[in-house]
Amino acid sequence: MNLCAHQVFDRMLLCGDTATRLRFAVSSSSPVLMAELADLKKRNKRRSVRMIKCRADGGRVTVGDDVFSVTTSSKYEVDYLGQSTKGDLNLKLDPLHSFGNGQATLEGPIEEVARTEAQAAENLIRELGIEGPFSAQHSPRGIFCSRTLNLRSISVIGYDMDYTLMHYNVMAWEGRAYDYCMENLKSMGFPVDGLSFDPELVIRGLMIDKEKGNLIKADRFGYVQRAMHGTNMLSNKAVSEIYGRELVDLRNQSRWEFLNTFFSVSEAVAYAQMVDRLDDGFISADLGTLDYKGLYKAVAKALFRAHVEGQLKSEIMSKPELFVEPDPELPLALLDQKEAGKKLLLITNSDYHYTDKMMKHSFNKFLPNDMDWRDLFDMVIVSARKPEFFQMSHPLYEVVTGEGLMRPCFKAETGGLYSGGSAQMVESSLNVHGDEILYVGDHIYTDVSVSKVHLRWRTALICRELEEEYMALICSRGHREELIELINQKEVVGDLFNQLRLALQRRSKGRPAQTLAATNLDDQELTETMQKLLIVMQRLDDKIGLMLESDGELFNKRWGFLSRAGLWDKSHLMRQIEKYADIYTSRVSNFLNYTPFMYFRSQEQSLAHDSPLPDVAMEN
């Protein structure tokens, strides 16, 4: 972690509320904060006892069906944002009288009442040591909303496993995948000696141009902003010459390969390095005539063998502690959702043995009362064969023994463990459909896009890099503000220069300039002013160019920020996320800060003509 990252965490630690401090206490094992954690637990326990025993009238507090009711699926309505009200908690009117004159405090202008009651509730939340609902939103572990989502109306939440419920150490996991890939390439006759895994070469969201041997980063429109041939970054001029007149079209799968997930890192690194070997003439002619597309096929085949032959997963299963980064908060987040009435599904492409081994390692030690990871899920589906799982039907098998023996079956039941099947089968078995289901995964296509397009499921994308990018953006704030100021200065100077240039052009053609004064301006004064402005613009361009090259280097020195392409625009990956993921976040455990009842509202989308306009007198 760099110095700036430490400063950000320190700021969050010092300025955050109690819950934020305690989360850092657990992660950092700080003796002072751990003592605070123990003290808070004691105070909360005493407070809970008092709350149960006491009330103003001396009786016992009872909060349940006699006070609240939940909107059912048969009686829901649609709110003003178009969201279902199913799952909303409603107040029954009769019990309100038991609070005496308390109702009187709710009278008056609703704006004032809302402010008063919100402040009172916020004070209570702070006293209880619970993290406020707004602090989580503005943090590296926030959940960000592209399309409004009422979590209360969701009946079923499905989860992918790899890099979703389970985060791997990228250097360890992808490093070993790379090693196996290189061993397979070497056995095929490719020169791999001296090469090593370098994850900084690539980031998620890049595309491999299999025709030209390049990795490229595109903006939201598909225009290429940065490119790397082999492991060598290309200049802006070279990028313009190669890609200036074409757009990236991911539908052309014979040419483009989108790096959707961390699993793409090892493949992209290996391909870039082998392009260098091909260009340098180190690949033997005995392998036949190879172009960049053929080279990609060879690399992909070598990596596929590493996965199919099972050596990689066997190594991970034997020493999961070397590859998996457990998240103690994750099982608790899922437990909250389950206890809130959500049906939880695990839908993974991994096989049963691998799934069971890795989930036990990641979950069981953090669950209460000797729970097993299986107890969290209403249905588990392994070897799901996504994305086909969301598009078509495959035979369904029930896993009936701990050794993984299976038998054919025709209908899935709640609590079952299955292999194969289809999303339509899940909907039928649970009697839920479309937007009643939220699916959470890390792959923008296999998990998010296909389930959204074909089934209209609600979707959430897990992107762990968001935490690092969030902090990098904070650390880059001063740099970007200075850069924007320079660009604004260049725009002002450029606009002034253009007016003088137009005056010069009209005068040179024997026509009057924009004004009589401009027409009569001394030639020497006009040219000297234009010369000065040209020099200023050139100096500004030199500084802006260098600063633009370094923008985003706190995240990745070659490619800049994950979500941005250039200073102003979004990356192609970010456009895909906005289009297909209703919400996105860095890890599943972030749901713990938002409760299973959260109403996620999308932000206002800015447009080019939203710029503030000067007051203009309206005339009839």
Side-chain angles (χ1 to χ4, degrees):
M1 185 181 296
N2 58 38
L3 177 60
C4 180
H6 279 297
Q7 293 170 343
V8 173
F9 275 116
D10 289 344
R11 188 186 314 163
M12 293 174 66
L13 183 59
L14 293 172
C15 301
D17 56 22
T18 305
T20 303
R21 290 168 57 79
L22 297 183
R23 186 166 65 241
F24 280 107
V26 174
S27 62
S28 64
S29 300
S30 165
V32 175
L33 294 182
M34 290 301 289
E36 184 179 343
L37 173 61
D39 180 63
L40 181 66
K41 286 182 176 179
K42 293 179 182 177
R43 286 187 280 120
N44 280 348
K45 186 175 181 180
R46 292 194 296 268
R47 184 183 292 117
S48 299
V49 173
R50 292 198 302 269
M51 291 174 64
I52 292 174
K53 289 183 177 180
C54 303
R55 201 177 74 173
D57 59 5
R60 181 184 177 89
V61 173
T62 302
V63 179
D65 294 340
D66 56 337
V67 178
F68 301 111
S69 65
V70 178
T71 303
T72 64
S73 57
S74 61
K75 295 184 178 180
Y76 78 90
E77 296 181 2
V78 176
D79 67 17
Y80 49 82
L81 293 180
Q83 300 299 301
S84 168
T85 61
K86 183 170 70 71
D88 283 4
L89 200 65
N90 306 295
L91 180 65
K92 293 182 178 179
L93 295 180
D94 290 342
L96 193 60
H97 298 297
S98 65
F99 291 96
N101 295 327
Q103 189 177 8
T105 63
L106 302 181
E107 296 177 353
I110 186 56
E111 297 85 355
E112 296 179 9
V113 173
R115 281 193 293 269
T116 300
E117 295 303 317
Q119 184 61 58
E122 186 176 348
N123 292 339
L124 176 61
I125 290 292
R126 186 180 297 112
E127 180 187 351
L128 295 173
I130 300 174
E131 184 170 358
F134 301 106
S135 59
Q137 297 174 14
H138 304 289
S139 76
R141 293 186 57 180
I143 297 179
F144 309 103
C145 182
S146 301
R147 180 188 173 211
T148 298
L149 170 65
N150 180 6
L151 205 56
R152 299 188 292 271
S153 70
I154 296 297
S155 301
V156 176
I157 304 179
Y159 287 101
D160 173 48
M161 185 179 73
D162 298 307
Y163 283 122
T164 300
L165 290 180
M166 187 176 312
H167 185 72
Y168 297 104
N169 180 307
V170 177
M171 190 67 189
W173 209 109
E174 295 304 314
R176 289 304 291 148
Y178 171 91
D179 292 340
Y180 281 111
C181 176
M182 287 301 179
E183 288 178 11
N184 290 332
L185 284 172
K186 186 173 183 178
S187 69
M188 296 160 61
F190 285 90
V192 300
D193 292 341
L195 298 178
S196 60
F197 181 58
D198 180 6
E200 293 299 314
L201 278 177
V202 300
I203 61 173
R204 189 201 303 236
L206 302 182
M207 298 90 165
I208 296 177
D209 182 351
K210 292 180 278 189
E211 289 185 0
K212 300 183 182 298
N214 296 339
L215 274 84
I216 62 99
K217 183 180 184 181
D219 63 19
R220 58 182 166 139
F221 303 109
Y223 291 102
V224 177
Q225 298 297 316
R226 298 191 187 190
M228 180 174 76
H229 181 74
T231 61
N232 301 300
M233 296 300 295
L234 300 179
S235 67
N236 291 335
K237 182 178 180 181
V239 171
S240 178
E241 290 174 348
I242 297 171
Y243 296 108
R245 296 186 178 182
E246 65 177 310
L247 296 176
V248 173
D249 184 358
L250 293 177
R251 293 172 297 182
N252 183 3
Q253 297 181 10
S254 65
R255 179 175 182 183
W256 304 104
E257 187 70 24
F258 193 32
L259 307 187
N260 285 292
T261 167
F262 276 128
F263 283 131
S264 305
V265 171
S266 51
E267 178 181 75
V269 171
Y271 179 66
Q273 293 173 337
M274 295 310 298
V275 166
D276 287 345
R277 293 291 166 100
L278 179 63
D279 290 344
D280 293 338
F282 293 153
I283 295 181
S284 172
D286 295 339
L287 293 173
T289 303
L290 272 180
D291 56 10
Y292 296 123
K293 186 176 291 188
L295 182 62
Y296 175 80
K297 290 180 180 179
V299 172
K301 179 180 178 180
L303 188 61
F304 182 74
R305 278 181 55 194
H307 289 286
V308 170
E309 292 175 356
Q311 293 174 297
L312 177 58
K313 285 195 171 181
S314 294
E315 182 177 344
I316 294 169
M317 289 172 65
S318 66
K319 297 180 180 179
E321 66 279 0
L322 300 181
F323 297 92
V324 178
E325 298 178 356
D327 185 344
E329 295 179 329
L330 175 52
L332 303 181
L334 268 59
L335 195 59
D336 278 348
Q337 294 172 354
K338 186 175 183 65
E339 292 174 346
K342 313 295 185 188
K343 293 184 183 297
L344 301 186
L345 312 178
L346 174 60
I347 305 174
T348 174
N349 283 353
S350 293
D351 61 56
Y352 166 71
H353 293 291
Y354 185 80
T355 299
D356 185 56
K357 177 73 173 181
M358 305 311 288
M359 290 295 288
K360 282 181 177 177
H361 173 78
S362 299
F363 274 68
N364 284 10
K365 57 188 172 184
F366 302 119
L367 288 170
N369 304 323
D370 297 323
M371 282 183 66
D372 183 72
W373 72 269
R374 284 281 309 280
D375 298 326
L376 283 172
F377 297 95
D378 294 86
M379 189 178 295
V380 175
I381 300 173
V382 299
S383 303
R385 298 177 66 178
K386 296 177 295 182
E388 293 181 3
F389 179 85
F390 299 113
Q391 300 169 296
M392 61 187 68
S393 182
H394 288 291
L396 179 68
Y397 298 90
E398 182 181 9
V399 181
V400 293
T401 70
E403 291 73 32
L405 293 179
M406 298 184 292
R407 65 185 176 195
C409 66
F410 301 98
K411 183 179 180 181
E413 302 288 346
T414 299
L417 170 61
Y418 302 98
S419 175
S422 67
Q424 290 85 351
M425 172 272 296
V426 171
E427 292 184 332
S428 177
S429 299
L430 300 178
N431 194 29
V432 291
H433 303 279
D435 60 5
E436 295 178 277
I437 305 173
L438 172 68
Y439 190 68
V440 186
D442 71 297
H443 198 294
I444 191 65
Y445 176 72
T446 298
D447 294 320
V448 173
S449 171
V450 180
S451 61
K452 167 75 70 179
V453 170
H454 289 273
L455 299 166
R456 295 296 184 265
W457 287 9
R458 306 308 300 269
T459 52
L461 183 80
I462 301 301
C463 182
R464 182 59 72 96
E465 304 98 306
L466 285 172
E467 295 179 17
E468 183 181 351
E469 173 163 289
Y470 189 99
M471 291 188 290
L473 282 167
I474 291 177
C475 295
S476 302
R477 189 173 293 163
H479 173 91
R480 292 173 69 83
E481 288 175 353
E482 181 183 355
L483 182 53
I484 291 171
E485 176 62 26
L486 287 171
I487 292 175
N488 289 338
Q489 286 182 331
K490 167 67 186 299
E491 184 177 354
V492 170
V493 174
D495 288 345
L496 296 173
F497 176 83
N498 291 338
Q499 290 294 336
L500 297 178
R501 182 177 179 181
L502 180 60
L504 179 63
Q505 174 183 299
R506 288 182 178 181
R507 287 167 42 149
S508 67
K509 299 297 182 181
R511 296 196 300 119
Q514 298 94 314
T515 64
L516 179 61
T519 303
N520 296 330
L521 181 67
D522 180 72
D523 287 344
Q524 183 175 355
E525 183 177 357
L526 175 61
T527 54
E528 284 183 358
T529 302
M530 291 180 65
Q531 287 174 342
K532 291 178 182 178
L533 292 180
L534 273 176
I535 293 172
V536 169
M537 287 193 293
Q538 183 59 57
R539 291 187 61 189
L540 284 170
D541 281 343
D542 291 342
K543 188 167 185 177
I544 290 170
L546 291 174
M547 292 187 70
L548 273 175
E549 287 183 8
S550 63
D551 184 51
E553 67 178 7
L554 290 180
F555 182 78
N556 185 277
K557 291 185 178 180
R558 290 172 177 261
W559 303 104
F561 294 112
L562 187 81
S563 61
R564 287 160 172 76
L567 181 65
W568 307 109
D569 215 342
K570 301 170 184 175
S571 66
H572 200 70
L573 172 66
M574 195 66 235
R575 178 68 187 104
Q576 297 283 308
I577 293 174
E578 286 185 330
K579 184 175 182 180
Y580 296 114
D582 297 316
I583 55 177
Y584 60 97
T585 189
S586 63
R587 59 179 83 191
V588 173
S589 60
N590 294 344
F591 279 106
L592 195 63
N593 298 324
Y594 286 81
T595 80
F597 319 111
M598 184 68 184
Y599 195 120
F600 294 100
R601 290 177 177 84
S602 60
Q603 297 181 349
E604 177 184 6
Q605 301 299 301
S606 62
L607 301 172
H609 61 274
D610 285 340
S611 301
L613 299 174
D615 294 334
V616 178
M618 301 297 293
E619 298 180 0
N620 294 328

